[in-house]
């Protein structure tokens, strides 16, 4: 694991898999099967995830129980929407390798490449 | 007053004529020069209008006339002139600042959220030095302001090694060249003054030209046809019908591919030097228009003291 980011991912993986709210102690117990972590480390990670809005929590006795705010699929969909979106305020957030093409343009591009390959005898 | 009219006229002329003069295929032969000229034209309009406002206020005697008018003497024309002179540059700069801040804030929020999601769902590939995410759509992009390049796992499967290297070189060029700053500034201008032809054209041109700049930098190490086939693979997988409002960007990907397959001759050195000179002149001209009469006026104003 490469620091906090990976630990966050590992914690979320567990919460997604369990499908029920879990306490810091439960998450910690499961993480310790791979490697030893301090209680406070896991608590901080869950706190960060809560701050970022990835988990919700509710008080159960004296400790919080955490559950994912959305499913992995929903977050994946959001990530890809951001990655591919090319309109509105989000145009300049990321620099994409290639923008959207119309199907006509895509056909023209393929044709240009075919012409090139035929002409030069490559491939 | 003459100076003011000259400056406003110059600004208006550049704003309207620059898109016609600068547009065209020559940009593909030297995208660097094209970017320079577009931004010189945009800046010269801004400089001209701001200076026009200032010169309007600074016309000798006008401020005095204005003060006299305010206390009930003199003509009201002075008040209007000074008012307009102060208002135009102030509004212009304020508008730019507001639009820029809104855009920068949106970018910061979006990028922050995107990086959070990447931490959760992405996985670092130490060999390639990229973040890999699982997605059915082959795609690649970089997150400006970081050194992060993201590739989907389907893109890794769809591209051969030379194509992948070309894609990564292109994205690294974006990050190293800080192309997002150029794009952000261009989009700021376009959004702040959507009715002004030069700013609208400059926005679109910059978005397309930074892709050519990144392609050129990638070509220093990678093959043009690898880059071209990579564009077809990653761009063609999610082509959309004409109806989705892409008219503005239409054809730019095809032009990019054609340019890679049959590179146009770069512009002759003399033309490029001439172009750079033109860019410099465009920006300097408004300042000269102000500086010449001002220095003359200063010289004249000094005379009475010399003899007094």
């Amino acid at each position: 694991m490469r620091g906090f980011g990976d630990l966050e991912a590992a914690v979320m993986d567990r919460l997604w898999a369990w499908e029920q709210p879990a306490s810091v102690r439960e998450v910690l117990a499961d993480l310790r099967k791979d490697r030893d972590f301090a209680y406070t480390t896991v608590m901080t990670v869950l706190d960060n995830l809560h701050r970022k809005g990835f988990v919700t929590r509710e008080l159960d006795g004296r400790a919080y129980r955490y559950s994912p705010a959305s499913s992995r699929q929903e977050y994946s969909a959001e990530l890809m929407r951001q990655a591919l979106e090319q309109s509105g305020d989000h145009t300049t957030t990321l620099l994409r390798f290639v923008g959207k093409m119309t199907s006509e343009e895509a056909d023209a591009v393929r044709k240009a490449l075919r012409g090139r390959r035929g002409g030069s005898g490559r491939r | 007053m003459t100076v003011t009219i000259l400056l406003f006229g110059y600004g208006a002329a550049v704003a309207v004529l620059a898109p016609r003069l600068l547009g065209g295929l020559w940009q593909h032969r030297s995208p660097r020069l094209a970017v320079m000229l577009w931004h010189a034209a945009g800046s010269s309009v801004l400089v001209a209008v701001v200076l026009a406002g200032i010169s309007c206020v600074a016309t000798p005697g006008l401020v005095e006339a204005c003060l006299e008018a305010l206390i009930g003497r003199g003509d009201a024309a002075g008040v209007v002139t000074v008012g307009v002179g102060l208002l135009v540059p102030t509004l212009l700069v304020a508008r730019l600042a507001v639009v820029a801040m809104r855009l920068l804030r949106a970018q910061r929020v979006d990028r922050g959220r995107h990086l959070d999601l990447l931490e959760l769902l992405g996985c670092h590939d130490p060999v390639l030095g990229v973040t890999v995410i699982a997605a059915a759509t082959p795609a690649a992009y970089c997150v400006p302001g970081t050194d992060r390049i993201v590739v989907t796992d389907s893109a890794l499967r769809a591209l051969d090694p030379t194509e992948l290297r070309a894609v990564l070189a292109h994205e690294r060029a974006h990050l190293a060249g800080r192309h997002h700053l150029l794009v952000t500034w261009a989009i700021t201008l376009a959004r702040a003054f959507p009715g002004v032809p030069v700013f609208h054209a400059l926005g679109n041109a910059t978005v397309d030209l930074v892709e050519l700049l990144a392609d050129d930098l990638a070509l220093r190490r990678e093959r043009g046809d690898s880059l071209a086939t990579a564009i077809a693979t990653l761009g063609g997988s999610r082509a959309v019908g004409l109806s989705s409002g892409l008219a503005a960007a239409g054809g730019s990907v095809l032009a990019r591919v054609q340019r890679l397959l049959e590179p146009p001759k770069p512009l002759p050195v003399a033309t490029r030097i001439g172009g750079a000179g033109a860019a410099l002149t465009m920006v300097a001209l408004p300042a000269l228009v102000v500086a010449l009469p001002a220095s003359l006026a200063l010289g004249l104003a000094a005379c009475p003291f010399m003899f007094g």
Side-chain angles (χ1 to χ4, degrees):
Chain A
M1 280 187 196
R2 258 191 338 123
F4 255 39
D6 282 1
L7 195 48
E8 282 185 6
V11 168
M12 282 305 284
D13 282 342
R14 281 164 177 78
L15 293 180
W16 278 322
W18 290 339
E19 291 176 346
Q20 58 176 344
S23 65
V24 175
R25 203 159 289 288
E26 286 163 347
V27 175
L28 178 67
D30 202 58
L31 283 171
R32 275 189 172 158
K33 289 175 190 165
D34 298 332
R35 214 184 101 188
D36 199 20
F37 290 100
Y39 180 86
T40 46
T41 308
V42 178
M43 195 173 72
T44 309
V45 168
L46 276 162
D47 207 48
N48 285 344
L49 287 169
H50 179 255
R51 186 172 39 79
K52 293 177 185 174
F54 290 136
V55 298
T56 57
R57 65 183 184 191
E58 54 189 56
L59 215 47
D60 174 33
R62 288 182 56 212
Y64 283 113
R65 298 186 75 83
Y66 296 84
S67 40
S70 302
S71 69
R72 176 192 279 275
Q73 288 74 20
E74 280 167 320
Y75 285 128
S76 273
E78 184 188 349
L79 181 73
M80 284 320 285
R81 236 185 353 265
Q82 288 187 350
L84 302 177
E85 189 176 30
Q86 270 191 305
S87 56
D89 264 349
H90 312 286
T91 329
T92 58
T93 302
L94 308 167
L95 289 175
R96 293 154 189 89
F97 175 65
V98 54
K100 273 185 194 159
M101 285 193 275
T102 61
S103 18
E104 285 81 356
E105 191 176 10
D107 286 344
V109 165
R110 270 191 288 271
K111 219 168 120 189
L113 283 169
R114 264 203 306 275
R116 160 77 169 193
R117 265 173 227 159
S120 67
R122 217 174 61 86
R123 294 197 192 183
Chain B
M1 206 59 200
T2 324
V3 172
T4 310
I5 293 167
L6 264 177
L7 285 168
F8 268 127
Y10 173 78
V14 173
V16 174
L17 293 178
R20 288 182 208 180
L21 295 175
L22 294 181
L25 280 177
W26 72 271
Q27 298 180 77
H28 293 192
R29 299 175 62 188
S30 185
R32 192 174 293 277
L33 178 64
V35 166
M36 195 197 270
L37 278 165
W38 276 114
H39 283 263
S43 307
S44 82
V45 173
L46 291 182
V47 171
V49 172
V50 169
L51 285 179
I54 291 170
S55 74
C56 183
V57 176
T59 304
L62 206 56
V63 176
E64 289 86 334
C66 179
L67 288 176
E68 279 173 9
L70 278 178
I71 55 172
R73 287 185 286 143
D75 62 332
V79 182
V80 174
T81 321
V82 172
V84 170
L86 284 175
L87 208 61
V88 169
T90 313
L91 283 180
L92 185 118
V93 173
R95 171 84 185 139
L96 268 183
V98 167
V99 173
M101 275 188 321
R102 206 183 292 152
L103 186 59
L104 288 173
R105 196 184 311 129
Q107 284 181 349
R108 203 176 51 235
V109 171
D110 275 3
R111 277 182 202 141
R113 176 71 180 173
H114 197 79
L115 290 171
D116 284 349
L117 285 167
L118 283 177
E119 287 294 344
L120 228 51
L121 302 166
C123 123
H124 182 75
D125 184 326
V127 179
L128 294 172
V130 302
T131 302
V132 180
I133 54 176
T137 315
Y141 57 92
C142 60
V143 187
T146 70
D147 59 354
R148 201 184 281 250
I149 296 171
V150 183
V151 184
T152 64
D153 58 351
S154 48
L156 289 182
R157 284 193 297 272
L159 299 170
D160 73 24
T162 58
E163 289 169 340
L164 181 62
R165 276 211 313 274
V167 170
L168 298 185
H170 174 101
E171 292 306 317
R172 274 189 220 108
H174 273 323
L175 293 176
R178 300 186 171 274
H179 291 166
H180 66 288
L181 296 179
L182 209 57
V183 170
T184 301
W185 171 239
I187 297 290
T188 299
L189 286 173
R191 286 207 188 147
F193 312 106
V196 182
V198 69
F199 295 138
H200 181 76
L202 173 150
N204 289 335
T206 305
V207 169
D208 287 347
L209 286 169
V210 295
E211 296 306 327
L212 304 190
L213 286 179
D215 281 350
D216 284 355
L217 287 166
L219 286 185
R220 290 189 186 168
R221 289 164 178 273
E222 309 299 336
R223 297 168 54 106
D225 46 5
S226 301
L227 199 48
T229 48
I231 292 170
T233 305
L234 298 193
S237 61
R238 53 196 180 92
V240 287
L242 264 180
S243 54
S244 50
L246 286 164
S252 60
V253 179
L254 178 60
R256 204 175 134 197
V257 169
Q258 282 167 337
R259 182 173 177 271
L260 288 168
L261 294 178
E262 277 164 49
K265 253 201 211 126
L267 291 173
V269 177
T271 313
R272 274 184 279 166
I273 292 174
L280 206 66
T281 313
M282 267 198 278
V283 182
L285 212 55
L288 281 178
V289 169
V290 173
L292 279 179
S295 54
L296 284 179
L298 269 182
L300 289 176
C303 283
F305 295 109
M306 282 170 68
F307 298 105

